[in-house]
Amino acid sequence: MGSVYFVRHGQTVWNVENKICGATDIELTELGHQQAVETGKRILAEGIKADEILYSPLIRAAETARHISEVTGIPARMEPRLKEQNFGKWESTPRDGEDFKRAKRDFCCRYEGGESMLHLAQRIYNLLDELRAESDEKTYILVAHNGIARVVQSYFYEMTNEEYADFGVRNCAVLKYDFTGKKD
């Protein structure tokens, strides 16, 4: 069994403004574009080998993947299941708001027009199961979002509800997950 890599998209204006992006299509900042190019260079420098980049359809992840692909030569294609969670009424509100922090601990809540954590986990776990089945032959880099990072982390590691709700990665972080240690 092989590995899968996860990269969070580059910086957006709403990241700078501490707002929840969710499924809202927010562009990268100039720094976000630079971060993506630097991530591609880091992937090359670290000798990370991948067969394909799968990316979220949202522009911030698509642009990040494009930059990484251009630098590394790794082909990229859009994977709709990597779209960020729709946080409904919370989108564009402060990321560190106390009401939102409490709401994130309710896995069945659809955030008044959004998507529950359970629905999100279903689509990401299904994708990861498919990638796991191919992991002896192919290695992927997933370019997506902080909410997706939480689900990926929970697929590979035990987490409490609080750890899950609090988990996050910085823009353009590169995480490696090994399917060999994955427990069924």
Side-chain angles (χ1 to χ4, degrees), residues 31-144:
L31 176 60
H33 287 282
Q34 292 170 10
Q35 288 172 326
V37 170
E38 290 304 314
T39 300
K41 290 176 182 177
R42 190 166 70 245
I43 286 168
L44 281 178
E46 293 177 10
I48 294 172
K49 304 289 185 213
D51 297 287
E52 194 170 21
I53 299 167
L54 303 179
Y55 61 88
S56 160
L58 296 176
I59 190 73
R60 59 194 184 268
E63 285 293 291
T64 300
R66 179 180 63 81
H67 289 305
I68 294 170
S69 178
E70 287 172 351
V71 171
T72 63
I74 300 169
R77 77 176 152 93
M78 191 264 293
E79 169 50 67
R81 290 175 288 183
L82 288 172
K83 185 176 183 177
E84 177 63 296
Q85 181 174 4
N86 182 332
F87 289 105
K89 74 176 188 173
W90 299 109
E91 297 204 6
S92 83
T93 66
R95 291 176 54 124
D96 54 2
E98 288 304 316
D99 289 340
F100 177 65
K101 283 183 180 179
R102 278 191 297 281
K104 272 198 332 188
R105 286 177 167 74
D106 184 352
F107 285 52
C108 294
C109 176
R110 293 186 191 199
Y111 307 110
E112 295 179 31
E115 177 183 28
S116 75
M117 296 282 183
L118 293 176
H119 284 109
L120 175 67
Q122 178 185 19
R123 69 178 157 92
I124 299 303
Y125 281 17
N126 288 347
L127 173 62
L128 290 170
D129 284 345
E130 290 171 21
L131 300 183
R132 181 180 184 195
E134 297 179 14
S135 67
D136 283 338
E137 294 88 36
K138 290 185 91 173
T139 300
Y140 293 94
I141 297 173
L142 309 179
V143 178

Side-chain angles (χ1 to χ4, degrees), residues 8-22 26-29 32 35 60 84 95 145-146 169-172:
R8 182 179 175 204
H9 62 77
Q11 182 193 71
T12 69
V13 172
W14 280 12
N15 293 153
V16 173
E17 295 174 354
N18 196 40
K19 292 181 180 179
I20 299 164
C21 296
I26 305 298
E27 300 246 0
L28 294 176
T29 62
Q35 288 172 326
R60 59 194 184 268
E84 177 63 296
R95 291 176 54 124
H145 312 274
N146 210 29
V169 297
R170 67 187 195 288
N171 294 108
C172 282

